[in-house]
Amino acid sequence: GALRLLVAAESGSALVAAEMTARGLPWDADEHRRILAETLGPRPPEGQRPVRLAELADRIAAAFGFPVNPDSPVELKEAFRRHGFEIESTRAWVLQGVDHPAVAPLLAYKDLARLWTANGWHWLDEWISADGRLTAQFLPGAVVTGRWATRGGGGLQLPASIRAAAVAQPGHVFVVADAAQLEPRILAAVSGDPALAALARGDDLYSALAADGFGGDRRHAKLAMLGAMYGQTSGEAARLMATLRVRYPAAVGHVEAAALRGETGGTVRSVLGRVCPPPSERWRRIVGEGGEAARRVARDRGRFTRNFVIQASAADWAAVWMTTLRLALLDVPGAELVLFQHDELVVHVPLEVAEQVCELVVDSAQTARDLAFPGSPVSLPVRPAVVRRYSDAK
C-alpha cells in the first residue's frame, strides 16, 4: 500500500508542477525594479557593475592597497595572502573569521552581487511574463530524495530581498502555508521513538526538546538534532549528541543505522518506499582500495543515507499533502497552487475564499500525515498565513 500511495502522490505532484508552470507566480515587475534600484542603484550599461557594487569594489581595493577583482576567488585569495592571511576559500563563513578591513565590504559585495546576477534586471526581462507571472518550469522529484527543482527562473530559490515583488493580483491574496520543523518531526515518525514522538505532539518541538534534556537551551537542542540528522561528527553538535543518544535511542539509532548502511554500500528507503541510488562503481573501487580516501567517501555516503531516510520521507509526505490539497481546491473557484518549496505551499486565491482555503490546507496536511504515517502520534503542524505579498508571510 505504501508504494501505491507514493506512485499516486508522485503522479499528483506532476500535475501540480505542470499547473504551477503554466500559471506562474504573480509578480510585480515595477516593484522588483524599485527593489533593485534601491539596493543596487540604477540599471547599469551592459558590461558594467551597478553603482553600489562599484562603490564596494573600490572600498575593497582601497583596503588591500591595490586593484582586486572581487568576483575572482583566485585574486581575492592572493590578495589576502599578500596581507598575511592564508584562506582556503572565499566563502562567507571563512571570511567572517578573518580580521581585515576588506572583509566587511567584500561580504556586502557578495550579497549584492548574488542579487544582481541571480535576480537582477536580466532575470526580470527573461522570466517575468508580460501579464506579470514568474515563468519558471517546476520539475517534481528531480532530486534523488524526491525534492523538486526548477529549470530556469530559480523559482525554488527566491531570496527574501525580492519576495516583496511577489504580489497577489487585485481582489486576491496568497495563502502561504509551511510545515513547522518538518524534518525532526519526520524523524520522530519514521523512527517510532516514543519519547521524541511525545515531544513532537506540540507546536514547538525544539523548545520541548530543550526543556526535556538540554536545560531549556533551545539552541543546544536544535544544534544536537541537526547534528543527528546531518551527521555532524565533531565540535559542539557532536558533544550534544550524547544527550540525544541517551534520551531518544530509537531516533538516533534509526539515522545511525542508515548511515552505517550507506557507508557499507547498502541502500535505504523512505517511509513510502523511495530508495536511494546504489553507490557507483567508482565509489566501490575507492572503498575497495582502502586508506584515507576510502574512509572519506564512505563517511560522505553515510551522511547522505543518514539524511535520506528523513528528507525523502518528508518529500513523501509533501507529495501526498499537495496532491490531497489539489483535489480539494478543485471545488474552490479561482484558487490556484502557484509555488511549492520543500515544506511550503503558496495558493493564490480570491480574498473571499481565503479562510476556506486555510482550512483545506490544514486538513489536507492532516490527511497526508494519517496516510503516510498511519497511527503515528507525531504532529506535523501547518501554519497558513493570508498575505498580499509573499514577503509578509515570514
Side-chain angles (χ1 to χ4, degrees):
L3 188 58
R4 182 175 297 162
L5 176 61
L6 177 61
V7 171
E10 287 295 288
S11 177
S13 298
L15 287 171
V16 172
E19 290 164 356
M20 283 184 180
T21 298
R23 292 167 181 153
L25 176 67
W27 201 268
D28 186 333
D30 289 337
E31 175 65 11
H32 191 138
R33 293 187 188 96
R34 186 197 66 76
I35 293 170
L36 293 176
E38 183 180 274
T39 308
L40 299 172
R43 183 171 187 168
E46 195 66 34
Q48 294 185 24
R49 293 188 178 104
V51 170
R52 301 284 188 277
L53 284 177
E55 292 171 351
L56 288 168
D58 289 342
R59 286 176 56 192
I60 294 165
F64 283 121
F66 48 82
V68 178
N69 178 6
D71 297 312
S72 169
V74 173
E75 288 193 29
L76 286 171
K77 286 195 286 187
E78 174 60 20
F80 278 110
R81 189 194 65 76
R82 289 171 62 179
H83 279 246
F85 297 93
E86 296 285 349
I87 58 175
E88 60 187 33
S89 78
T90 59
R91 293 181 178 178
W93 66 271
V94 174
L95 294 173
Q96 287 165 359
V98 177
D99 184 14
H100 189 278
V103 169
L106 180 54
L107 291 174
Y109 181 96
K110 283 178 169 290
D111 285 342
L112 295 185
R114 193 176 301 112
L115 172 63
W116 176 42
T117 56
N119 300 101
W121 291 275
H122 286 298
W123 181 89
L124 196 56
D125 294 341
E126 186 170 1
W127 298 110
I128 304 303
S129 64
D131 61 346
R133 296 274 182 147
L134 171 59
T135 58
Q137 180 182 358
F138 292 96
L139 307 173
V143 182
V144 294
T145 58
R147 283 193 165 188
W148 285 27
T150 54
R151 180 177 291 124
L156 300 182
Q157 297 171 320
L158 299 173
S161 56
I162 63 164
R163 289 186 180 186
V167 183
Q169 293 180 340
H172 290 66
V173 291
F174 293 129
V175 174
V176 182
D178 72 315
Q181 303 160 346
L182 180 59
E183 289 196 353
R185 294 177 185 276
I186 294 291
L187 172 57
V190 298
S191 67
D193 190 298
L196 189 58
L199 300 183
R201 291 191 183 102
D203 289 339
D204 189 344
L205 172 58
Y206 288 128
S207 292
L209 194 66
D212 185 55
F214 293 89
D217 191 322
R218 192 177 187 279
R219 188 186 73 84
H220 278 177
K222 185 173 183 179
L223 191 61
M225 181 57 70
L226 294 175
M229 294 189 298
Y230 290 94
Q232 182 64 43
T233 57
S234 61
E236 189 176 18
R239 178 177 59 80
L240 295 168
M241 274 280 291
T243 300
L244 289 185
R245 286 193 179 92
V246 172
R247 302 189 75 86
Y248 318 105
V252 175
H254 189 80
V255 291
E256 292 192 339
L260 179 60
R261 190 158 179 80
E263 289 175 8
T264 54
T267 58
V268 295
R269 64 184 61 226
S270 70
V271 68
L272 295 185
R274 195 190 306 267
V275 183
C276 76
S280 66
E281 288 304 317
R282 178 177 179 275
W283 184 92
R284 294 185 184 279
R285 176 177 54 78
I286 293 174
V287 171
E289 292 171 353
E292 183 57 36
R295 287 189 288 271
R296 185 181 67 254
V297 299
R299 285 195 302 267
D300 288 347
R301 179 168 169 76
R303 279 191 289 270
F304 164 68
T305 52
R306 171 191 291 266
N307 186 245
F308 183 94
V309 294
I310 303 169
Q311 197 175 103
S313 296
D316 291 353
W317 172 84
V320 179
W321 178 32
M322 77 175 74
T323 300
T324 305
L325 179 59
R326 176 186 178 274
L327 292 173
L329 292 177
L330 293 177
D331 296 326
V332 183
E336 51 185 16
L337 281 161
V338 291
L339 188 65
F340 168 62
Q341 297 192 94
H342 309 318
D343 58 1
E344 181 179 80
L345 281 170
V346 180
V347 192
H348 186 239
V349 302
L351 177 59
E352 61 269 19
V353 299
E355 290 306 315
Q356 177 188 359
V357 171
C358 286
E359 293 177 7
L360 293 175
V361 164
V362 173
D363 289 347
S364 60
Q366 179 65 38
T367 299
R369 194 288 303 263
D370 294 343
L371 288 170
F373 306 102
S376 173
V378 173
S379 172
L380 298 176
V382 167
R383 302 166 181 169
V386 179
V387 296
R388 280 274 298 145
R389 296 176 184 270
Y390 184 27
S391 57
D392 292 339
K394 296 298 182 182

